Amino acid sequence: MRFAETAIAGVVVVEAEPRADERGAFARLHCPTEFAAAGFPFKPVQTSLSRNPQAGTLRGMHYQAAPHAETKLVRVTRGRIFDVAVDLRPESPTHRRWTGVELSADNLKALLVPEGVAHGFLTLEPDTDVVYQISPAYRPGHEAGVRWDDPAFGVAWPAAPVLISERDRAYPDYRA
């Protein structure tokens, strides 16, 4: 695996390194030892799937509030997304900045999103499946979010969403 740091501390693009032969290819997608050796210790305890039949579906920007904040490793197993992380950590030098990367079933990239960073994505094609590996386990009642188009962040989405939940549309302006 290759780890490429982004402009936001702790948000990392993880690239699988497939080995191909006449049967196809095989790639390691997560190894706690390799993550720790690269300076990003992560041991997921839960795996979740987001199925998205429609291109232009926007999910986010979500996070879990302390003391139940989560780290997520996000990967696409079918289709393509524009994946976004927004730094909400007030003490961070990149507070309120965002980073985005295209994840697809073909490019085998994943995005590691640490605690205190909101996450969301826009599907770029129909029938897109997104797998989340999460630690610690999800705790109901601690969900939080910021609006996908909040001017405090200025995320440059590649297209306007076609489908978005009322909850995600209605988050108030961010104040820190």
Side-chain angles (χ1 to χ4, degrees):
M1 284 176 277
R2 290 187 305 266
F3 299 85
E5 295 189 51
T6 68
I8 298 175
V11 177
V12 179
V13 176
V14 181
E15 297 184 53
E17 297 179 297
R19 296 175 190 239
D21 63 21
E22 64 279 356
R23 299 168 295 172
F26 182 87
R28 181 177 297 141
L29 301 179
H30 178 261
C31 173
T33 303
E34 286 186 54
F35 272 65
F40 309 104
F42 177 61
K43 294 182 180 179
V45 298
Q46 182 175 318
T47 304
S48 300
L49 172 68
S50 171
R51 291 215 121 150
N52 304 277
Q54 185 171 343
T57 299
L58 191 136
R59 292 184 184 255
M61 302 292 299
H62 305 143
Y63 63 98
Q64 285 283 110
H68 303 291
E70 299 171 332
T71 296
K72 302 173 186 173
L73 182 64
V74 182
R75 180 178 307 280
V76 172
T77 57
R78 181 171 64 156
R80 288 184 314 128
I81 65 172
F82 183 68
D83 206 32
V84 173
V86 174
D87 192 345
L88 300 179
R89 302 168 292 189
E91 73 288 352
S92 171
T94 57
H95 179 237
R96 295 180 15 164
R97 289 195 205 153
W98 67 275
T99 189
V101 63
E102 184 174 306
L103 305 181
S104 72
D106 292 334
N107 73 16
L108 292 179
K109 291 180 181 178
L111 192 65
L112 182 66
V113 182
E115 295 179 3
V117 175
H119 170 262
F121 63 83
L122 178 71
T123 60
L124 300 176
E125 57 187 59
D127 299 318
T128 294
D129 291 344
V130 182
V131 173
Y132 294 75
Q133 291 178 280
I134 303 164
S135 185
Y138 169 77
R139 295 284 300 264
H142 298 277
E143 305 88 353
V146 295
R147 204 174 60 253
W148 67 279
D149 62 348
D150 192 318
F153 313 120
V155 175
W157 296 95
V162 174
L163 181 62
I164 182 170
S165 73
E166 186 54 39
R167 178 189 71 163
D168 289 351
R169 184 185 318 276
Y171 285 120
D173 284 349
Y174 180 72
R175 303 217 193 291

